[in-house]
Amino acid sequence: METLVKNYISAYNQFDIEGMLTLLTDDVVFENLANGEITTRTTSKMEFADLANQSAKVFSERTQSLTAATQDNDLFIVDVTYKAKLAQDLANGMKAGQSISLQGRSEFAFRDGKICLIRDIS
């Protein structure tokens, strides 16, 4: 499990969307939660690919660094430091070239040797 997660994060950091997709089940669920609310949700590898391609265009650089990892029943939970530089202006007023730095947590579940759930929490 830890190797799958590390490979996923490595592919993410390298903007290797195909590499990310090879690690996922066809029915992977992805959720992004902010302030306890789901802000984004996909329920298939195809939807995830679309989201990943859109997201990649927003950033000129991005790095997730694993700072801690724990297992809780069927979930593999990682604490991450996220740093990115915007490639374009955002609707919230942030401008291209600005940097973002966040602390967050990601939860992963697995089935048949692949990732079937990714939940990013900030």
Side-chain angles (χ1 to χ4, degrees):
M1 289 185 284
E2 185 171 352
T3 299
L4 272 175
V5 170
K6 285 183 176 179
N7 290 342
Y8 171 84
I9 291 172
S10 177
Y12 177 89
N13 288 344
Q14 297 172 44
F15 293 86
D16 179 6
I17 294 167
E18 286 303 315
M20 293 165 58
L21 295 175
T22 64
L23 303 169
L24 308 178
T25 60
D26 288 338
D27 62 346
V28 65
V29 172
F30 170 80
E31 295 177 338
N32 187 79
L33 283 80
N35 301 319
E37 305 227 351
I38 296 174
T39 58
T40 306
R41 186 169 202 271
T42 65
T43 57
S44 71
K45 190 188 286 191
M46 186 176 284
E47 288 178 2
F48 181 89
D50 289 343
L51 178 64
N53 281 306
Q54 290 170 17
S55 297
K57 294 173 187 168
V58 175
F59 303 104
S60 59
E61 301 172 21
R62 65 182 184 191
T63 304
Q64 279 192 44
S65 301
L66 196 104
T67 58
T70 56
Q71 180 95 27
D72 183 15
N73 295 318
D74 294 336
L75 290 179
F76 188 74
I77 302 165
V78 296
D79 293 332
V80 295
T81 298
Y82 181 80
K83 294 181 180 179
K85 186 178 283 188
L86 294 174
Q88 59 188 30
D89 295 347
L90 299 181
N92 68 4
M94 294 189 75
K95 301 290 182 194
Q98 279 188 277
S99 295
I100 298 171
S101 184
L102 305 166
Q103 300 292 319
R105 184 177 82 204
S106 294
E107 300 174 346
F108 295 85
F110 308 89
R111 186 177 68 245
D112 302 327
K114 295 196 173 195
I115 299 167
C116 64
L117 169 71
I118 303 167
R119 183 177 296 127
D120 288 344
I121 303 166
S122 60

